[in-house]
Amino acid sequence: VAAGSRAYALLLDSKGALYLALLPGGVPRQLASGPWSGLAISASGEYAVAYSATGAASAVIGGLPQQPVLRSADVQGIGVTAAAVSDTGAVLLATKPGSGAAILAIAPGAASASRVLSIGAMGGLAFVPGSDRALVADAATGTVTQLDYVSGVPTPSSLSGSALAKSVGLGVSADG
C-alpha cells in the first residue's frame, strides 16, 4: 500500500512481517515481524494500521514515514477483514462475518478496540480525509452509516436514501 503525499510504501511479506520503503527506489526495511494479513494508510499518510485475519493484535503506526512508531491494539482475538485509519490516528476494523460482522474502533492512544457498530456484511469503510468521521456500508442491508467522533464516543447515523444492494467498496473524496 503506497502513500502518495509522503512518498513511502508499506509492504507485508508472506509471513506477515511489515516493511517500509521510501519512494522512489528505497530498499524495504523491516519494521516488525507480525502475523498481519492486511494494511490501510490514512489519507494524509501520517498513520497506518496493520491487521490480522487470525485475531492477533493490530498495530497502529504513527510518525510515518521518517520515524515510524508501532503501537499494539488488542482486538480480543477477533479476526479482521478490512480497516480504515483517519488522519488523526483513529482506526476502524471490520471483523470476520459469523452471525453478522462488527465494526471495531481504536481511538488514538487506546490499548484495545471496542465495538461501535453491528452490520450484516462488510460492504466498505472509509474515513473522510482530514476528519474524525467515517462511512460504513452494510452489504447485507444496503445501508450506509456515518460514524461521527470516532476518536471519542462514535455516534452512528444512517445516510438517508443510501440503500445500495450488495455493496463491495466505499471511498470518500477529500472534500467529504
Side-chain angles (χ1 to χ4, degrees), residues 60-89:
V60 180
I61 308 150
L64 290 166
Q66 298 302 328
Q67 297 180 350
V69 176
L70 280 74
R71 179 177 47 83
S72 182
D74 183 13
V75 294
Q76 296 94 35
I78 300 169
V80 174
T81 60
V85 60
S86 77
D87 292 332
T88 64

Side-chain angles (χ1 to χ4, degrees), residues 32-105:
S33 60
W36 299 300
S37 57
L39 296 166
I41 297 176
S42 68
S44 69
E46 187 174 345
Y47 292 95
V49 63
Y51 58 89
S52 170
T54 65
S58 291
V60 180
I61 308 150
L64 290 166
Q66 298 302 328
Q67 297 180 350
V69 176
L70 280 74
R71 179 177 47 83
S72 182
D74 183 13
V75 294
Q76 296 94 35
I78 300 169
V80 174
T81 60
V85 60
S86 77
D87 292 332
T88 64
V91 173
L92 288 178
L93 304 169
T95 66
K96 282 184 160 183
S99 57
I103 302 298
L104 306 176

Side-chain angles (χ1 to χ4, degrees), residues 15-175:
K15 295 179 183 174
L18 176 65
Y19 293 82
L20 170 72
L22 299 178
L23 301 175
V27 175
R29 69 177 170 99
Q30 187 170 349
L31 296 180
S33 60
W36 299 300
S37 57
L39 296 166
I41 297 176
S42 68
S44 69
E46 187 174 345
Y47 292 95
V49 63
Y51 58 89
S52 170
T54 65
S58 291
V60 180
I61 308 150
L64 290 166
Q66 298 302 328
Q67 297 180 350
V69 176
L70 280 74
R71 179 177 47 83
S72 182
D74 183 13
V75 294
Q76 296 94 35
I78 300 169
V80 174
T81 60
V85 60
S86 77
D87 292 332
T88 64
V91 173
L92 288 178
L93 304 169
T95 66
K96 282 184 160 183
S99 57
I103 302 298
L104 306 176
I106 304 169
S112 64
S114 60
R115 181 184 290 249
V116 295
L117 186 66
S118 293
I119 58 174
M122 184 60 207
L125 71 160
F127 276 92
V128 174
S131 81
D132 195 26
R133 184 179 55 189
L135 298 177
V136 177
D138 186 333
T141 64
T143 59
V144 177
T145 300
Q146 179 172 293
L147 288 170
D148 289 313
Y149 313 111
V150 175
S151 293
V153 179
T155 306
S157 60
S158 292
L159 296 184
S160 94
S162 63
L164 179 64
K166 300 186 191 285
S167 59
V168 295
L170 186 145
V172 181
S173 70
D175 58 3

